[in-house]
Amino acid sequence: MNKFVAEGFKPITSPYKEDGKTKWTIQEKLLLGLSTPDYITQLIRNPLNWVFALIFSVGMPLVALRFIKGLSFVTHSSYDYPWGLFLGWGLFVMVPLSASGFMLGTTVEVFGRKDFKPIERLALLNGLLGYLFAVVFLQVDLGQPWRLIYPMVVSLGPQAVLFLVAWHVATYLSVQVAELVPAFAELFDMPRTKKFIKSMVIGLTISGIILSTLHQGALGALFTYAPGKLHPLWYSSTFMWFHFFCSAIFGGLSMLIVVSTICKYFMAWRCDDNFLNNIDKLTMSLAKGSAMALITYLIIKIIGVAHDNDWIYLVSGWGQWFLIELLVGTIVPLVLFTVAIRTNNVGLARFAALIAVFGIALNRLNTVLIAFNWQLYQEIPHPREIGIVITIYTLYIATYRFCLARMPLLYTWKDK
Amino acid sequence: MNRRNFLKGGLAGGALTFLGKGKEAAASVAPPPPVSDITMLKEGKYPRGMGVLYDLSRCIGCRTCEAICNKEHHLPEPDLPFDDTSVFERVRRTHEGARTVVNRYKIKGQENPVFRKVQCNHCAEPGCLSSCFVNAYTKTAIGAVTYNEKVCVGCRTCMIACPFYVPAYRYSSAFNPIIIKCTMCYNTRLVKGEPPACVAACPRDAMNFGKREDLIYMAHQRIRINPGKYVEHVYGEKEVGGTAWMYLSPVPFEQVGFDTTLGEKPIFSYVKEFLSIVPMVLTIWPALFSGFYLLATRKESQKIKQQDIGEEGKK
Ligand code: SF4
Ligand code: SF4
Ligand code: SF4
């Protein structure tokens, strides 16, 4: 794509072609304004597509085999470890990293910080796709995926935490779809739909906050069912939901810094000046938000240990692992963010965000896989399970890229 | 009779017939109807049902119970026959092919090993039940915890939530993966007024089926009459809120694979703290954030108003 842009090509940003009269057809919009042969050339030229093709050619048959042969063919999930990498990565890591949607929605729409507008839609997409693929991962992991709708209509277990998660993720997904409708409507010329959604944006945003608070917290609360199974340092029946919620805040913001950085460097052709000129400044603001959430998280993490009086565990090997997680995943990014803010160093803030994202992943995988059943043994995921996780994550990245290239997320649609 | 009295009479009459029916039903047939435990969980009631007392000192590890359970519930044939004692070489747990297993424990300084049967303990407030989001589990009034495979989605949270590592899962099946768990033979035997198959088949009378209260009394009695024979504890009397399947042991419970760190609080009580914040968030958040929104946008609307006034002034 960079080559075409260098040759003077301009991707679509408005409904009309250069002459200012003829409209682009939908097909042309999907091809970004390139002719079909040019589009294909561009596809083949991009090495990333080759990597994707390779991953899919190996991974897709694996996914098919999972549904033909059952879970035991692709996972090590055992009677003692009912949850493996599918949920550990796909649900428990993906969901907090997708908290950006409600964070930025709140900032822009509720707190009226219009200066965050250039990245609001990117944040919404990050949220939507993250949740969508969390559901895809869930579908791969569920024993009977065709019954996904059961907790909604067939047989209700409202006393269960997972019931909350199911309902909230489902409703929140529709909220996120609605929030992105304006971008979609602009691209495909549907002004009425856009207006309709715009009229309820505040309602949508506030319901987004409620649903997110609850299901981000509920994911943590799921483990309060397992006192004794989860190591006491990671377990806290009182604070666990708050740990998960609070870490989702910096998780979402840091993930937004990471993806916006990727956009800036690898998809600059699709970003407009509004995005490119503001992104460094906004990154610093996001960094401030992350730092604030990080320090809160650090404090309640320590309170959690104090509340249950778990100090004694800190001297064991588990304690060291816990401290490493806290150091690498929380304290290091916190310090880096602080230095970055002091010295106004955007690069450092981006690096800190990357570490924070890594820290979230580490915490969730610790909770689900490593510190779980700490008195029994540690589960090592099956190679095929790892393969499927990589495949679906690749599909996620590919979808992400597909949307970014077309919808007015990184650029502003010129209506007139 | 005015309308109000009529309504009252109607309601009271209805309640009376209902109560009457209830009494009749209780008197005539043995198996009480299943009750979902949700209401009981909410009211914190422990259902007074039946139970099983299992005496480890009487068990000889013949595995008759395993065999009969396998037959009763049409489970697949095991790799090794039920009289093969080589299975005792390692400690087993319930799995796809077995709702119950018997394990052997060598005790230090003691010649004879101790055997222990494992199956669902039929908790009074089951973790599996409270964690299931499609309500596949039922705590029946008779005490058994049953499982409905027709609604199970296969999320396996119940396996996370069971403190005794009981529910097993048919991972090998792509089209009908379900939870495998002892149901106290509820459908095949309890509803007919018969004791569970394994209890009835035990040649050593290691298990007694009866009212849970009576069993607790019996257990303490056994401890009292045989000083030194048992550890002075009835496992399951209070653990995680009490279980219907209870144990007497001649050796410390942790030496025969029991988790003695579980405490007396039911699993559900650990989750309550989170559940109690849910209504709070639901009611406070909308008000709070609408407030923020109004505050944040007030400046703008004031600006617009002032502009309006300014413009009107010009006119
Ligand atoms: S419980 Fe009875 S049948 Fe089962 S192993 Fe012990 S003695 Fe044998
Ligand atoms: S022992 Fe486990 S499976 Fe059985 S009722 Fe209790 S929580 Fe449920
Ligand atoms: S009660 Fe029935 S289902 Fe449970 S272990 Fe005994 S025979 Fe098997």
Side-chain angles (χ1 to χ4, degrees):
Chain A
M1 192 48 97
N2 288 336
K3 214 161 185 181
F4 279 112
V5 176
E7 284 163 11
F9 163 75
K10 284 202 186 72
I12 294 183
T13 50
S14 79
Y16 299 102
K17 292 189 181 170
E18 270 170 38
D19 57 13
K21 271 183 202 134
T22 27
K23 283 197 170 183
W24 295 101
T25 64
I26 292 196
Q27 195 201 348
E28 283 167 329
K29 281 180 186 166
L30 287 178
L31 298 185
L32 308 163
L34 285 168
S35 68
T36 315
D38 279 353
Y39 186 77
I40 292 172
T41 322
Q42 172 272 134
L43 273 185
I44 296 176
R45 238 192 263 156
N46 191 336
L48 195 60
N49 288 332
W50 289 95
V51 178
F52 282 6
L54 186 72
I55 293 177
F56 288 143
S57 63
V58 180
M60 283 306 173
L62 278 180
V63 176
L65 281 175
R66 176 259 170 267
F67 287 102
I68 297 166
K69 295 201 166 192
L71 276 169
S72 61
F73 184 70
V74 296
T75 69
H76 280 161
S77 291
S78 62
Y79 310 119
D80 299 328
Y81 270 97
W83 290 346
L85 205 56
F86 287 153
L87 291 190
W89 176 268
L91 186 71
F92 290 100
V93 176
M94 297 264 306
V95 169
L97 294 183
S98 311
S100 61
F102 92 90
M103 297 296 311
L104 266 278
T106 314
T107 313
V108 176
E109 308 298 342
V110 177
F111 292 111
R113 291 288 302 268
K114 302 286 182 229
D115 49 329
F116 280 93
K117 266 251 141 112
I119 49 166
E120 187 195 6
R121 283 183 172 180
L122 177 62
L124 290 175
L125 182 76
N126 182 58
L128 174 64
L129 289 183
Y131 277 82
L132 200 63
F133 277 83
V135 176
V136 173
F137 273 111
L138 186 69
Q139 283 293 63
V140 175
D141 185 73
L142 279 184
Q144 317 215 21
W146 52 90
R147 288 184 179 172
L148 185 69
I149 197 74
Y150 273 34
M152 312 283 160
V153 287
V154 177
S155 177
L156 311 182
Q159 84 290 357
V161 172
L162 197 61
F163 185 78
L164 279 177
V165 178
W167 269 91
H168 290 166
V169 168
T171 32
Y172 187 46
L173 255 181
S174 27
V175 168
Q176 300 209 57
V177 170
E179 284 181 324
L180 272 173
V181 161
F184 187 80
E186 283 173 5
L187 182 60
F188 293 110
D189 255 342
M190 304 183 293
R192 287 238 196 106
T193 324
K194 182 180 167 184
K195 216 171 159 200
F196 174 67
I197 291 287
K198 282 260 158 187
S199 68
M200 24 188 242
V201 74
I202 272 300
L204 284 174
T205 312
I206 292 183
S207 54
I209 307 172
I210 300 169
L211 295 167
S212 304
T213 314
L214 288 177
H215 71 237
Q216 294 282 1
L219 283 179
L222 272 178
F223 285 93
T224 55
Y225 282 118
K229 288 190 186 177
L230 184 58
H231 191 282
L233 283 173
W234 281 269
Y235 184 90
S236 162
S237 69
T238 319
F239 295 107
M240 195 123 178
W241 73 270
F242 200 52
H243 286 160
F244 268 54
F245 172 67
C246 197
S247 53
I249 294 179
F250 68 79
L253 294 180
S254 296
M255 182 71 177
L256 186 56
I257 297 181
V258 171
V259 290
S260 63
T261 307
I262 294 176
C263 293
K264 179 181 164 179
Y265 288 107
F266 296 100
M267 286 192 94
W269 59 271
R270 182 73 292 191
C271 309
D272 64 6
D273 293 342
N274 186 24
F275 181 86
L276 290 177
N277 296 339
N278 282 307
I279 189 63
D280 287 0
K281 198 178 92 233
L282 290 176
T283 299
M284 292 319 288
S285 309
L286 293 175
K288 275 182 205 148
S290 297
M292 226 114 85
L294 271 164
I295 188 128
T296 320
Y297 177 69
L298 185 64
I299 292 170
I300 51 166
K301 248 334 221 198
I302 296 169
I303 292 180
V305 175
H307 181 266
D308 295 340
N309 206 2
D310 291 331
W311 300 109
I312 185 80
Y313 292 103
L314 285 179
V315 293
S316 66
W318 285 105
Q320 281 166 21
W321 184 234
F322 177 80
L323 290 176
I324 287 176
E325 181 201 302
L326 215 55
L327 185 74
V328 176
T330 316
I331 298 174
V332 168
L334 179 60
V335 171
L336 290 182
F337 271 131
T338 319
V339 175
I341 295 165
R342 282 271 159 78
T343 56
N344 202 17
N345 183 340
V346 189
L348 191 62
R350 290 188 168 130
F351 180 62
L354 191 64
I355 306 233
V357 166
F358 171 76
I360 292 276
L362 182 65
N363 169 263
R364 298 306 196 262
L365 291 178
N366 267 342
T367 311
V368 184
L369 290 174
I370 299 169
F372 192 75
N373 279 341
W374 62 293
Q375 282 157 315
L376 295 181
Y377 60 95
Q378 268 63 53
E379 140 124 356
I380 295 157
H382 197 292
R384 294 197 193 103
E385 183 171 10
I386 299 175
I388 293 183
V389 167
I390 293 176
T391 308
I392 299 180
Y393 203 72
T394 308
L395 188 65
Y396 161 77
I397 297 172
T399 318
Y400 213 136
R401 206 171 53 137
F402 180 89
C403 296
L404 285 181
R406 285 158 187 81
M407 286 161 70
L409 304 161
L410 300 171
Y411 66 96
T412 323
W413 192 250
K414 298 188 199 72
D415 253 338
K416 276 138 230 158
Chain B
M1 191 156 82
N2 67 29
R3 196 153 145 200
R4 215 155 139 200
N5 276 343
F6 170 79
L7 268 178
K8 253 192 198 161
L11 277 179
L16 270 180
T17 38
F18 181 76
L19 280 178
K21 263 194 198 147
K23 257 184 208 156
E24 229 175 66
S28 61
V29 270
V35 260
S36 171
D37 204 30
I38 297 169
T39 43
M40 296 206 196
L41 281 175
K42 278 197 186 131
E43 290 161 18
K45 267 189 217 152
Y46 298 173
R48 296 161 170 245
M50 309 290 276
V52 174
L53 177 66
Y54 170 61
D55 188 333
L56 276 76
S57 72
R58 294 186 181 182
C59 179
I60 53 164
C62 62
R63 299 178 66 212
T64 314
C65 50
E66 281 189 46
I68 197 86
C69 179
N70 177 286
K71 211 171 123 212
E72 179 84 19
H73 302 289
H74 313 288
L75 295 170
E77 254 196 47
D79 299 338
L80 298 171
F82 283 109
D83 52 12
D84 192 328
T85 52
S86 66
V87 295
F88 289 137
E89 247 114 70
R90 53 190 189 88
V91 169
R92 298 171 299 153
R93 56 154 288 158
T94 53
H95 54 89
E96 280 187 51
R99 290 180 174 201
T100 184
V101 293
V102 178
N103 283 320
R104 182 178 67 191
Y105 292 88
K106 293 213 172 86
I107 309 294
K108 252 194 208 145
Q110 206 173 300
E111 211 179 289
N112 293 331
V114 175
F115 295 95
R116 179 212 164 181
K117 178 181 179 296
V118 186
Q119 76 297 306
C120 170
N121 285 327
H122 301 277
C123 310
E125 296 188 40
C128 58
L129 184 149
S130 54
S131 74
C132 179
F133 73 151
V134 287
N135 217 16
Y137 290 89
T138 308
K139 174 79 182 174
T140 58
I142 202 167
V145 175
T146 60
Y147 160 77
N148 176 4
E149 59 173 74
K150 297 230 164 61
V151 297
C152 174
V153 177
C155 69
R156 313 192 291 284
T157 319
C158 52
M159 299 167 77
I160 298 269
C162 171
F164 301 109
Y165 295 92
V166 166
Y169 193 69
R170 223 198 262 157
Y171 285 109
S172 59
S173 163
F175 303 106
N176 190 26
I178 50 168
I179 294 285
I180 312 286
K181 178 190 94 75
C182 154
T183 54
M184 229 193 224
C185 295
Y186 181 78
N187 286 326
T188 52
R189 298 178 61 100
L190 289 194
V191 288
K192 291 185 211 148
E194 296 166 20
C198 56
V199 176
C202 178
R204 296 294 301 235
D205 214 10
M207 289 175 279
N208 294 97
F209 177 69
K211 263 205 188 137
R212 185 168 183 271
E213 283 165 64
D214 301 346
L215 293 175
I216 292 173
Y217 179 78
M218 184 197 229
H220 286 289
Q221 195 77 346
R222 254 188 232 172
I223 295 174
R224 218 171 303 137
I225 308 173
N226 306 292
K229 187 176 173 194
Y230 298 105
V231 177
E232 291 191 21
H233 180 73
V234 181
Y235 192 94
E237 183 182 352
K238 300 216 174 95
E239 273 75 12
V240 291
T243 58
W245 212 289
M246 292 167 294
Y247 305 81
L248 275 180
S249 168
V251 294
F253 280 100
E254 53 277 10
Q255 289 184 20
V256 277
F258 286 90
D259 187 346
T260 48
T261 62
L262 289 176
E264 297 182 0
K265 282 206 297 180
I267 294 299
F268 189 57
S269 67
Y270 295 93
V271 185
K272 273 185 185 152
E273 294 187 48
F274 169 70
L275 291 180
S276 65
I277 67 131
V278 172
M280 245 158 57
V281 170
L282 281 178
T283 47
I284 298 175
W285 262 217
L288 196 64
F289 285 93
S290 319
F292 285 143
Y293 170 66
L294 291 178
L295 275 180
T297 47
R298 203 180 58 175
K299 268 189 213 144
E300 274 174 42
S301 52
Q302 269 178 350
K303 246 189 245 156
I304 295 170
K305 250 192 210 152
Q306 271 165 2
Q307 266 175 11
D308 285 352
I309 294 171
E311 272 166 26
E312 261 166 38
K314 271 183 213 157
K315 280 177 200 167

